[in-house]
C-alpha cells in the first residue's frame, strides 16, 4: 500500500510539473497511466532454482522457456528514442510512418528489441543458488529478421546452447528468439554471452 501511494504521488508530481517549450524530450509527462507503466513494470521473478554452475551445465542444449508477451507501445518507443538519441521518423512519427514507411506504421528500434533480453530472460531463467553475480559479456550474433510494428506483442524464446568454465565461474551462450504474436518469422535472433560468478 505504501509503495502504491508513493507511485501515485510521483505520477501526480511529474504530470503537474511544467515542461519548457524547448525541451528535446518526445515523452512528456502528460499521462499518469504512462508514468505508472514506466515506474511499475517489472519482470516476473524466477520460480525455479538450480544448484550452482553444475545445475547451469545441466541446462546446456535445452530450451528453458518462453516469456510472457510484452506490448510495444509508442510511448515506450519514444522513451527509447529519448534515451538513445535515435529520433528517426520511422520510429517516432506515426503519421509519416503510416503514410510513407514500407512497414505500414512506426516500428520499434532494433536496439529496443534486443534491450528487452534481460526483461524476458529473467522471467524464464532459474534462480542459480550460490551465484554472486552475473555480467553481460556481449553478443556473438544479432539478426533483425522482421520489423516490430508499434502495438505488437513481443516475447522471447530462450535456449542455453553452451556452458563453459571461466575463471571464477562459467560462461553461458544463450540463444534468444524474439517472437511477434501472429507472425511466423521472428523479430530477432541473437546469441547472448553471459558470465556467472560464484
Amino acid at each position: 500500500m505504501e509503495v502504491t501511494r508513493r507511485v501515485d504521488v510521483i505520477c501526480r508530481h511529474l504530470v503537474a510539473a511544467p515542461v519548457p517549450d524547448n525541451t528535446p524530450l518526445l515523452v512528456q509527462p502528460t499521462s499518469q497511466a504512462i508514468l505508472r507503466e514506466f515506474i511499475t513494470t517489472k519482470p516476473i521473478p524466477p520460480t525455479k532454482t538450480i544448484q550452482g554452475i553444475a545445475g547451469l551445465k545441466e541446462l546446456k542444449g535445452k530450451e528453458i522457456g518462453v516469456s510472457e508477451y510484452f506490448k510495444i507501445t509508442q510511448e515506450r518507443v519514444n522513451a527509447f528514442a529519448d534515451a538513445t538519441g535515435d529520433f528517426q521518423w520511422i520510429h517516432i512519427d506515426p503519421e509519416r510512418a503510416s503514410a510513407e514507411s514500407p512497414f505500414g506504421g512506426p516500428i520499434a528500434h532494433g536496439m529496443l528489441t534486443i534491450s528487452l533480453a534481460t526483461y524476458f530472460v529473467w522471467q524464464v531463467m532459474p534462480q542459480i543458488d550460490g551465484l554472486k553475480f552475473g555480467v553481460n559479456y556481449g553478443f556473438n550474433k544479432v539478426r533483425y529478421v522482421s520489423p516490430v510494428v508499434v502495438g505488437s506483442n513481443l516475447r522471447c524464446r530462450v535456449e542455453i546452447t553452451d556452458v563453459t568454465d571461466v575463471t571464477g565461474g562459467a560462461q553461458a551462450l544463450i540463444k534468444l528468439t524474439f517472437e511477434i504474436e501472429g507472425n511466423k518469422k521472428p523479430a530477432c535472433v541473437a546469441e547472448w554471452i553471459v558470465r556467472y560468478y560464484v
Side-chain angles (χ1 to χ4, degrees), residues 68-104:
E68 297 291 326
Y69 277 112
F70 181 84
K71 182 172 285 295
I72 303 299
T73 64
Q74 188 65 58
E75 290 80 11
R76 185 165 294 275
V77 171
N78 289 352
F80 190 82
D82 284 332
T84 61
D86 184 348
F87 298 106
Q88 189 174 182
W89 62 269
I90 62 172
H91 304 302
I92 55 89
D93 189 336
E95 184 176 346
R96 183 178 177 187
S98 296
E100 300 180 28
S101 167
F103 310 117

Side-chain angles (χ1 to χ4, degrees), residues 52 58 66 101 112 118 126 129 131-132 134 143 145 181 188 194:
E58 291 177 2
V66 182
S101 167
L112 169 55
T118 303
D129 274 357
L131 184 71
K132 287 184 179 178
R143 294 291 182 272
V145 183
E181 188 175 26
C188 174
V194 180

